Amino acid sequence: MSLRDILLQIAQVITVIVLSPLLQGFILQWEERIQRARGPGILQPYRDLWKLFHKQLVIPESASWIYWVAPPLAFTCMLTVPILIPVLTDFPLPLSDMGDILGGGLILTLGSFAIMLAGLDSGSAYGGVGSSRSVMLGILAEPTLILVFVGITLLAKSMLPFVVNHLLVQNPSVYWSPAHLFLVFAFFVLLLVETDRLPIHSSTHIEVYMIEEARILEYSGPLLGLLKWASMMKQFILYTIFCNVLTLPWGLSQHGTALGAAGAAAGLFARMLVVIIAVVIVETAQSRLRFFRYQEPLAASFMLAVLAIAANQLR
């Protein structure tokens, strides 16, 4: 374990912490631009976090210890996942062997589970609605995510994200194989679900559509700031997995130099902007769906994951 590897490990976590609000800013602005509105500035999420961390806490009378533990637990989970995945380098770093893709997925799920419990713990009707809806989405989303991981394992004969990255970079035939393409489309649907971009979600306080906002409606001040930041980091991590592991696995630093790491961070964000365009177009091009139709895109994603496993067995 060298000092360089330790610094690169820290740099990966800092990259996620610092750039996740910027990614959110680009998404919100481009959504408004496509709808022919001006939209907020790309730095607005930073301003929002600054205001939240300088506001006073207002605690519900019914809140228990779960209410206090959920925000730092969710934030800590999002700090852990960047250690396990390729963010800046295409080679494992000192703590990358703590877990594989499945381990990273379980940590992300733990953060979401803590927020769901907090929504129920607050005693608010909105919190209960948001948490119950989140569980209903998870009933189909989680099995699909597991199937995608199984498909990746069969494709690369490994669940380590670095191995998957190397395989796709070095073997164009595998990259353009039906099994890999099915996995890409399946994970893209999951990306929409996990980042609240399906046309059944709403980032505003509209009761009919609230899911994520409903779960954290009773939070305020620094605790709300932690939850908002953790949500942005989760989004950044999912985009990182989608870009660096599945879809656009090029541009990572091979030698771990400072210049290479900086270039990898810039390249990663540029690739994310390409994915953002696709996400925003899909989100805004669809009409608002009734909530009970949430199973349609998730069922399609599930079938794509099954087809990926079947195509891999026939390959």
Side-chain angles (χ1 to χ4, degrees):
M1 182 185 300
S2 64
L3 178 61
R4 183 206 64 171
D5 290 343
I6 295 175
L7 293 176
L8 285 171
Q9 191 92 83
I10 296 173
Q12 290 204 151
V13 178
I14 292 177
T15 298
V16 175
I17 294 174
V18 174
L19 293 185
S20 54
L22 184 62
L23 179 68
Q24 177 72 0
F26 271 102
I27 293 175
L28 294 178
Q29 186 181 70
W30 287 6
E31 282 179 345
E32 297 296 330
R33 291 295 175 87
I34 288 182
Q35 298 172 11
R36 298 183 179 181
R38 183 174 182 180
I42 58 175
L43 300 180
Q44 186 60 43
Y46 293 102
R47 302 187 190 102
D48 293 340
L49 290 176
W50 176 266
K51 288 189 294 184
L52 288 174
F53 281 105
H54 287 79
K55 284 188 175 182
Q56 183 180 1
L57 283 172
V58 179
I59 310 299
E61 294 182 358
S62 59
S64 69
W65 61 271
I66 297 176
Y67 180 92
W68 293 94
V69 169
L73 177 59
F75 192 80
T76 303
C77 289
M78 303 313 152
L79 290 177
T80 305
V81 179
I83 298 175
L84 310 176
I85 61 176
V87 179
L88 301 178
T89 68
D90 67 349
F91 55 88
L93 295 170
L95 299 178
S96 298
D97 58 354
M98 289 194 309
D100 51 19
I101 297 178
L102 182 59
L106 290 174
I107 294 174
L108 288 177
T109 303
L110 175 61
S112 298
F113 180 70
I115 299 173
M116 181 197 69
L117 289 181
L120 296 172
D121 181 68
S122 65
S124 166
Y126 291 104
V129 168
S131 296
S132 62
R133 288 176 175 176
S134 177
V135 171
M136 290 177 67
L137 289 175
I139 290 174
L140 276 180
E142 297 304 327
T144 303
L145 185 63
I146 293 174
L147 279 182
V148 169
F149 290 156
V150 171
I152 293 174
T153 302
L154 295 174
L155 188 69
K157 303 299 186 291
S158 173
M159 291 200 70
L160 296 176
F162 298 93
V163 175
V164 181
N165 175 275
H166 291 175
L167 175 69
L168 296 177
V169 170
Q170 297 171 5
N171 296 277
S173 61
V174 176
Y175 184 89
W176 295 108
S177 66
H180 175 247
L181 296 179
F182 285 143
L183 288 174
V184 169
F185 290 123
F187 196 90
F188 182 78
V189 176
L190 289 176
L191 188 68
L192 296 176
V193 174
E194 296 294 337
T195 57
D196 301 331
R197 299 297 165 193
L198 276 183
I200 60 171
H201 293 85
S202 177
S203 58
T204 59
H205 293 167
I206 302 176
E207 179 183 355
V208 177
Y209 303 119
M210 283 197 303
I211 298 178
E212 181 64 27
E213 286 293 324
R215 294 194 297 173
I216 62 176
L217 195 61
E218 294 299 316
Y219 279 94
S220 61
L223 291 180
L224 180 58
L226 279 178
L227 288 172
K228 292 280 190 180
W229 207 344
S231 177
M232 296 178 199
M233 290 169 63
K234 178 182 179 181
Q235 178 175 253
F236 192 94
I237 290 168
L238 290 172
Y239 272 78
T240 301
I241 295 173
F242 186 70
C243 291
N244 284 352
V245 179
L246 274 181
T247 311
L248 303 167
W250 305 277
L252 294 175
S253 176
Q254 298 179 352
H255 304 290
T257 62
L259 183 60
L268 171 61
F269 203 84
R271 295 194 296 276
M272 285 182 176
L273 295 181
V274 176
V275 178
I276 287 174
I277 295 175
V279 169
V280 172
I281 290 175
V282 170
E283 180 188 9
T284 55
Q286 298 183 82
S287 300
R288 176 72 65 179
L289 297 177
R290 294 181 179 179
F291 180 77
F292 69 82
R293 295 184 61 185
Y294 71 94
Q295 73 272 15
E296 295 177 7
L298 284 170
S301 177
F302 184 88
M303 289 305 302
L304 286 170
V306 172
L307 288 173
I309 294 174
N312 186 74
Q313 296 301 313
L314 297 173
R315 184 167 60 91

